[in-house]
Amino acid sequence: MSELRDLYQEVILDHSRTPRNFGEPKGANRRAQGTNPLCGDRATVFLKLDGEVVQDAGFIGSGCSISTASASMMTESIKGKTLAQVEALFETFRELITKDPDARHGDAAPLGKLAVFSGVGEFPARVKCATLAWHALRAALKGEEQPVSTE
Ligand code: ZN
């Protein structure tokens, strides 16, 4: 099991060092910003929505390795998915990291590599890091374009 954990850490480190889909994709028509004050993570998620389908996704932001890796892998996972599929993915992901394994009723298989975050549940403070981008994503999908400003 520890080998698996090492592998998971490798994937998270890889995505935090070299985030995928970093930046605003061409033709993005939805965006939302999220912050996690607890850790100081920030993420702005961009989507190119075509009807019910997420054609493209990207993000910018700064934060800890978990928040960056989560945003990176999330944008990879949602491309080409319908809104319903994205919502289902979020529910499965949230269940993966907030419930103990025995209490999960869903199948983690659809998560694919997002399963690397399964260990995050052991660190409740990091759950918000891992879900930050997802909350920004949902806000973007709902059209809640509320720019966060300190001025
Ligand atoms: Zn964080």
Side-chain angles (χ1 to χ4, degrees):
M1 205 54 196
S2 69
E3 275 178 35
L4 190 63
R5 292 183 67 124
D6 289 348
L7 177 70
Y8 282 1
Q9 279 179 3
E10 275 301 310
V11 175
I12 289 174
L13 279 176
D14 173 41
H15 275 265
S16 69
R17 287 185 187 131
T18 319
R20 319 303 198 263
N21 305 310
F22 197 84
E24 180 175 349
K26 260 194 188 136
N29 49 17
R30 298 287 182 96
R31 73 198 60 203
Q33 194 180 60
T35 57
N36 172 23
L38 211 66
C39 183
D41 308 317
R42 293 167 169 277
T44 301
V45 171
F46 303 96
L47 301 171
K48 185 184 175 191
L49 205 60
D50 184 8
E52 291 279 296
V53 178
V54 177
Q55 294 285 358
D56 207 353
F59 80 102
I60 56 171
S62 61
C64 66
S65 54
I66 289 180
S67 68
T68 304
S70 178
S72 171
M73 277 188 256
M74 179 193 80
T75 52
E76 280 194 323
S77 302
I78 61 173
K79 278 192 200 180
K81 288 204 162 59
T82 65
L83 299 184
Q85 287 172 326
V86 168
E87 187 64 24
L89 195 64
F90 172 68
E91 288 303 328
T92 310
F93 180 70
R94 187 162 61 176
E95 185 158 89
L96 173 81
I97 60 174
T98 56
K99 288 193 179 165
D100 69 72
D102 297 334
R104 289 175 203 152
H105 51 71
D107 181 3
L111 286 172
K113 69 171 127 182
L114 289 174
V116 299
F117 290 98
S118 61
V120 170
E122 293 170 39
F123 310 97
R126 311 314 296 275
V127 168
K128 288 185 177 172
C129 303
T131 53
L132 170 64
W134 290 88
H135 287 298
L137 166 69
R138 291 179 104 206
L141 288 175
K142 286 180 191 157
E144 291 171 10
E145 193 179 317
Q146 270 199 329
V148 178
S149 174
T150 53
E151 292 169 41

